[in-house]
Amino acid sequence: MMSERTEVQVRPGVEADLEALTDLYNHYVRETPITFDTATFTPEERHPWLLSHPEDGPHRLMVATETDPRGNSQEILGYATSSPYRPKAAYSTSVEVTIYVAPHAGGRGIGTLLYKALFEALAGEDLHRAYAGIAQPNEASVRLHERFGFRYVGTYREVGRKFGRYWDVAWYEKEL
């Protein structure tokens, strides 16, 4: 039996996405060192994060969705954000970007679609640089960032402890 092909859409994140976005993020909190959060979140705890990424401005949230073949519901396949790099005013033209793809959606180009949409949305903003910290090892993320013009700038060695061991974070930057 052939499965019906569906199309992936990328759009700004909205309030109705909060539970699914929280579930996706919590997977990475529980199962991987990709994020250094060590405790899962409730949607209520993640609500301020959602509100900090409006549809305009330099701090965005883009969501990749796929509608089921019957058109009944949209599944969130991943998301990408741009967030303040640091809280001090002089950093206001820099953003930190991040991306999370649902485990079952890897290898389908979802990350590429998300970053393409995110950087297109940021094109008119007063931004100078984007930064990405990638917990190591993570070759898929390194390849994605390099495809989008990020270049390696350095590694913080054993900067985070999770799952009983220390992890390095490689830092990448991109001119905007």
Side-chain angles (χ1 to χ4, degrees):
M1 179 174 183
M2 290 181 61
S3 64
E4 295 180 46
R5 185 169 180 198
T6 58
E7 187 174 333
V8 175
Q9 301 289 323
V10 178
R11 59 166 173 75
V14 296
E15 190 107 12
D17 300 327
L18 184 58
E19 186 170 340
L21 292 171
T22 303
D23 289 345
L24 174 55
Y25 186 70
N26 282 339
H27 162 79
Y28 286 95
V29 171
R30 283 188 312 273
E31 306 294 329
T32 77
I34 288 173
T35 175
F36 285 175
D37 278 318
T38 58
T40 59
F41 292 86
T42 66
E44 294 77 22
E45 291 169 328
R46 288 284 280 178
H47 194 250
W49 167 84
L50 180 80
L51 294 177
S52 72
H53 295 91
E55 281 194 45
D56 59 358
H59 307 132
R60 306 281 182 107
L61 165 62
M62 303 304 291
V63 175
T65 63
E66 182 175 55
T67 304
D68 72 21
R70 297 174 197 249
N72 294 329
S73 65
Q74 285 193 343
E75 177 188 9
I76 291 181
L77 301 177
Y79 68 90
T81 63
S82 59
S83 301
Y85 176 67
R86 297 270 193 265
K88 296 178 180 169
Y91 290 118
S92 67
T93 60
S94 296
V95 290
E96 185 172 347
V97 296
T98 193
I99 193 162
Y100 290 92
V101 174
H104 70 278
R108 293 180 49 192
I110 304 300
T112 298
L113 290 172
L114 283 163
Y115 262 178
K116 183 176 184 289
L118 179 65
F119 291 121
E120 285 174 1
L122 296 177
E125 299 297 331
D126 180 24
L127 293 173
H128 185 62
R129 292 274 194 280
Y131 295 93
I134 304 172
Q136 297 297 300
N138 190 338
E139 284 305 312
S141 186
V142 168
R143 283 192 308 273
L144 174 67
H145 286 85
E146 288 176 344
R147 240 187 346 267
F148 276 87
F150 283 82
R151 67 178 185 85
Y152 172 76
V153 293
T155 297
Y156 292 169
R157 302 277 178 212
E158 298 184 350
V159 68
R161 185 172 66 186
K162 188 173 181 181
F163 303 137
R165 66 168 276 201
Y166 286 95
W167 300 91
D168 296 347
V169 174
W171 284 92
Y172 289 76
E173 73 177 357
K174 170 185 173 63
E175 290 184 34
L176 296 175

